[in-house]
Amino acid sequence: MYIELFVVAGQNTDLENSLKKVVEDLRGQVQRPDKIRLATVKIRPDAVDQVLRLVAEPPDKVPPHYRSLVNMLKKYGISKFPAVVVDGVKVGEGSVQVEDVLRAVQERARVEFPELSTLELMPPKPVPSPVQPVAVEPAPPPELRPVAPPEPPKPLTPPAAPPPPEVRPVEPPKPLIQPPPEVKPAEPPKPVMPIAPPSPAPPPPISRPFTAVVRLVLGRPDNCSECAYYGQLTSRCFLFGFAVANPTSPPCKQYVRGGG
């Protein structure tokens, strides 16, 4: 007897443990214990959906590492997990009950091993007793009692008329007498101070011509004050950008002497 269990790894441990225990018990009661085998195929949880999709695909589209598993599922017609196959016949898949699987194993073991003809792994399912018909006695007819005629309605007493409203004479409104407004004496006008005329604006400064005398020397003079590129206010040379510390010692002369 060859039992195959297809289960998702980490799930349905009660079914797996029950089958292992049954196989061990059966091996201890038969003459050829090697004839009773259990193979458990565990599928990774992240590969369940892919495996079930590949069952409906043609063989050339099934990856090589899934080909053996997919062929077994197609052979047994398995489309849900867990699934149990006994001697090539599927006995349950999906939401299987452990009791139903053990009963299927028990029936197969009795047929294949004569020494297990009295094997009782699970008690037989109780057969529901037939429902006995219940005699229904007819209900007695209801007892008719004379109905007393309804009492005539009592005459309604008209409600008492409300008393007339009390009429009070309306007093004429009293005239409002307002006191005359208080008249304040007018203040005498304040004397107006005379406004001094504005002072005349100072005359604009008279620009005078400025004459600058610059002595220009061709080439590089010995004094920066004689050079057109020397700024006396900034003490810098506008040609070379030097800061001139001593006008009598032009930097350009020193630059020439140094090899520039």
Side-chain angles (χ1 to χ4, degrees), residues 22-191:
V22 166
V23 169
E24 292 177 359
D25 294 344
L26 294 178
R27 286 176 176 174
Q29 301 180 38
V30 298
Q31 297 178 0
R32 294 287 304 274
D34 58 317
K35 293 292 185 178
I36 301 177
R37 293 179 297 166
L38 171 64
T40 303
V41 180
K42 295 186 178 182
I43 299 95
R44 298 196 320 268
D46 58 335
V48 171
D49 294 338
Q50 184 181 3
V51 170
L52 294 179
R53 283 197 304 268
L54 293 174
V55 173
E57 296 291 339
D60 56 342
K61 292 188 177 181
V62 178
H65 56 283
Y66 284 135
R67 194 164 295 163
S68 176
L69 174 61
V70 171
N71 290 339
M72 286 191 295
L73 298 181
K74 288 183 178 181
K75 176 182 177 181
Y76 300 137
I78 296 174
S79 60
K80 297 178 182 179
F81 299 114
V84 181
V85 178
V86 180
D87 289 341
V89 179
K90 181 178 67 175
V91 298
E93 69 173 354
S95 300
V96 296
Q97 299 293 331
V98 178
E99 294 81 2
D100 297 338
V101 173
L102 296 183
R103 286 192 183 93
V105 174
Q106 172 182 284
E107 296 299 326
R108 186 61 188 171
R110 287 177 177 179
V111 173
E112 190 168 345
F113 300 96
E115 60 267 33
L116 299 178
S117 58
T118 59
L119 176 67
E120 286 290 342
L121 295 177
M122 293 295 298
K125 286 187 177 181
V127 179
S129 58
V131 180
Q132 299 293 335
V134 179
V136 180
E137 298 181 358
E143 182 181 358
L144 299 178
R145 296 182 181 181
V147 180
E151 298 181 358
K154 296 182 180 180
L156 299 177
T157 304
E166 183 180 358
V167 179
R168 295 183 180 180
V170 180
E171 298 181 358
K174 297 181 180 180
L176 298 178
I177 301 175
Q178 296 182 355
E182 182 179 357
V183 180
K184 296 182 179 180
E187 296 182 357
K190 296 181 179 180

